[in-house]
Amino acid sequence: MLDQKKYTFSIILLFLAVIITALVNISLGSVNIPVTEVTASLLGLDVEKETWNYIIINYRLPKAITAIITGSGLAVSGLLMQTLFRNPLAGPYVLGLSSGASLGVAVVFMGASIFGASFAAILLSKWSLVIASSLGSLIVLFAVILASIRLRDTMAILIIGLMFASLTAAIVSVLAYFSPASQLQQYVFWSYGSLGDLSWEEVFILGIFWIMGLLISIGSIKNLNSLLLGEQYARSLGTNIKKNRFAIIIATSLLAGSITAFAGPIAFIGLAVPHLVRQIIPSANHITLVPAVIFGGAILMLFCDIIAQLPGSEHSLPINAITSLIGAPVVIWLLVRKRKFNF
Amino acid sequence: MKAEISNTVLKTLNLSIGYRKKNVVNNVASDINIEIKPGELVAVIGVNGAGKSTLLKTLSGITQPIDGEVFINELKLSKTEPDKLAKQISLVLTEQNISKNLSVIELVALGRQPYTNWIGSLTRKDLKKIMNAIQLVNIENIKNKKCNELSDGQFQKVLIARALAQETSMIILDEPTTHLDLYHKAYVLKLLQNLSKETNKAIIFASHEINLALQLCDKLVIIKDKKALSGTPAELIQSDALDDLFPEHLIHFDKKTSSFKIK
């Protein structure tokens, strides 16, 4: 009777689309491998050429998994932010979470040289990168939340998010000014965003953060739904507002922070995917939205990655640029065509 | 004595309401003693800024009282956890921050949250309660519409249905008739009257519609000069409590017709 059942089919279709896009994503690249061979390799069967198997297992598969984690994680954190702030413009990038994460990463990359060599060894381990980045986004998010409690005006929250973005950018420039070229270069490359540079170990670390973030998000579904009525109603329905807000902040910081640490600051996905999904599945219920946004984010990121690696050529483009190049026109087109904003 | 208490849904004991800003206490009204029984429809009236909303917010636990205590079905309000309170009081607020992307039935279904499991899935019993609430306010014909397609009057009915689905012994409404035309004002208040009798719930609302409230309510709570007076409309008219509610140079209370008239 309620719409959830009606949308179960759409969610299953989205899930199948994730698998198909992932297979296509793995098959295309500087060397194109037939999809049938990709499937065979993934299932552990014999593959025509041993090099294909090697490419898939060591390069393409971790990259595809990273794309799935990045897309779904950013999209879910966008959804959480939009519901928590009851603002359609909220998202990890807009609210300055990605900038906070960037600051954390900048401190790790460039601060290492400033604070001395003994620090460098500790700072440059992969875990510290994630933790610094998550902490960075956590700090910005806390500041935004504090401001939002005092201001109670959703437009002001966005402005504060933007202010934090420029503030952190300024601190990063100061750090950059004082750091040696090699480390600066490392940071600049990171800031373009990349899905393909992760080893299996790094994918594993990222995956742990991703699963923790998603589990907290799924656990918050009921409370997220009550927030659709506004905080006072949510409280009257028995929702513990403070605990719930804390859970959402932690989930968002884990997701946006860890993803930004490994894949760089990726714009657009977090803001846009929830809106794109709402166009396909016009529901406000998070039982439907959370899985749909997870799959939708994964599909969009895999698709953007297919474009970014320019199939058949040796070159690839920064993923950060592609997500906006493809996504922004799609959102504009959808909104203009529908003339209505389902939020 | 005990039987009398258990027949009371809401009782306040020397309640003082207001708000604290840093260390300054701003007292809005004090010594409020109200008692509301099941099935009663009660209007809270007073001029703008008299403290109607503050009283309702205090009764619903959103705002802490300055002094005194509120009892809901013998439970101390200040000692009741939000999840327990959610089964005692449901709200209809003026807050306009509700997602209009919800369908009518989804919004009403949110009223079942205090009873659902960790992820909020609805059982057959929940669905029955939801349909029952929808029937009570007569919105079956719009139940699959999105809230952004509704008129203000329809949306108000949906919010009332949501409060009914929450299955509480008391419903508190903050100005349910604002933004409505005269017909819909009367319609909503008449609906509240019917609901209080049919479901035996205590319904308390703040309103500026004094003339309608005098005709429909079992009890009125008048907030005036930092005091709250309560009684049946007849009692209040008898004791001249309504006469100086507004500055008298413009509006006066006409006892013959039991309504306010322009001079």
Side-chain angles (χ1 to χ4, degrees), chain A residues 2 86 222 228 233 236 282, chain B residues 93 97 99 113 116 122 146:
Chain A
L2 290 179
R86 295 282 314 113
K222 183 177 171 179
L228 291 173
Y233 273 113
S236 83
Chain B
L93 303 168
N97 204 9
S99 167
Q113 278 218 348
T116 54
L122 300 164
K146 290 270 178 194

Side-chain angles (χ1 to χ4, degrees), chain A residues 78-245:
Chain A
L79 177 67
L80 296 184
M81 290 295 95
Q82 288 172 10
T83 303
L84 180 66
F85 290 111
R86 295 282 314 113
N87 191 320
L89 283 173
Y93 203 83
V94 182
L95 288 175
L97 299 198
S98 304
S99 336
S102 302
L103 178 63
V105 170
V107 169
V108 169
F109 274 151
M110 301 186 285
S113 62
I114 296 166
F115 298 129
S118 56
F119 261 119
I122 313 165
L123 283 176
L124 287 174
S125 85
K126 288 296 173 191
W127 284 92
S128 68
L129 197 63
V130 193
I131 291 164
S133 166
S134 293
L135 271 179
S137 59
L138 191 72
I139 289 166
V140 171
L141 193 48
F142 261 121
V144 172
I145 295 263
L146 273 181
S148 79
I149 291 170
R150 294 201 131 226
L151 291 168
R152 297 225 152 268
D153 177 355
T154 42
M155 283 319 279
I157 297 165
L158 294 182
I159 294 169
I160 286 179
L162 289 172
M163 290 301 113
F164 272 110
S166 43
L167 195 68
T168 46
I171 300 174
V172 169
S173 333
V174 172
L175 277 176
Y177 184 77
F178 286 109
S179 54
S182 64
Q183 265 139 16
L184 182 60
Q185 195 187 31
Q186 219 180 347
Y187 176 77
V188 169
F189 276 125
W190 170 84
S191 71
Y192 284 141
S194 163
L195 302 173
D197 299 336
L198 273 69
S199 67
W200 273 111
E201 190 206 347
E202 290 164 311
V203 172
F204 179 72
I205 296 172
L206 181 57
I208 289 173
F209 280 82
W210 177 71
I211 285 173
M212 286 194 293
L214 286 194
L215 284 180
I216 299 173
S217 311
I218 291 166
S220 307
I221 283 177
K222 183 177 171 179
N223 291 337
L224 285 166
N225 281 337
S226 75
L227 279 179
L228 291 173
L229 299 176
E231 274 191 12
Q232 294 195 343
Y233 273 113
R235 190 181 291 117
S236 83
L237 283 166
T239 303
N240 186 330
I241 298 289
K242 275 188 192 152
K243 211 168 108 188
N244 182 42
R245 191 189 282 143

Side-chain angles (χ1 to χ4, degrees), chain B residues 72-197:
Chain B
I72 308 284
N73 290 320
E74 296 177 64
L75 292 168
K76 264 192 184 179
L77 186 70
S78 55
K79 298 257 162 65
T80 312
E81 294 293 316
D83 56 330
K84 283 219 180 79
L85 200 59
K87 295 180 180 177
Q88 303 292 339
I89 307 173
S90 51
L91 304 179
V92 176
L93 303 168
T94 40
E95 192 172 351
Q96 287 300 307
N97 204 9
I98 295 173
S99 167
K100 295 283 173 77
N101 195 28
L102 287 161
S103 70
V104 168
I105 197 161
E106 276 177 322
L107 201 157
V108 177
L110 285 175
R112 296 304 298 168
Q113 278 218 348
Y115 307 93
T116 54
N117 62 2
W118 68 276
I119 203 159
S121 47
L122 300 164
T123 62
R124 193 163 292 179
K125 187 187 163 207
D126 291 320
L127 292 174
K128 224 173 133 187
K129 299 279 181 196
I130 293 162
M131 286 318 292
N132 189 29
I134 285 176
Q135 277 159 10
L136 277 171
V137 300
N138 201 13
I139 49 168
E140 289 112 314
N141 53 332
I142 54 165
K143 70 171 189 234
N144 292 317
K145 282 198 176 182
K146 290 270 178 194
C147 288
N148 53 27
E149 300 170 85
L150 305 181
S151 69
D152 284 347
Q154 286 174 322
F155 190 56
Q156 198 63 43
K157 285 198 269 181
V158 174
L159 292 178
I160 293 171
R162 190 210 63 82
L164 287 171
Q166 206 176 327
E167 257 197 308
T168 54
S169 49
M170 185 163 88
I171 301 179
I172 295 178
L173 306 94
D174 191 7
E175 307 211 2
T177 54
T178 33
H179 305 307
L180 301 183
D181 61 45
L182 186 59
Y183 169 76
H184 284 97
K185 278 179 179 161
Y187 183 97
V188 165
L189 295 186
K190 186 74 191 161
L191 175 70
L192 292 178
Q193 190 195 33
N194 291 340
L195 289 173
S196 65
K197 301 303 167 256

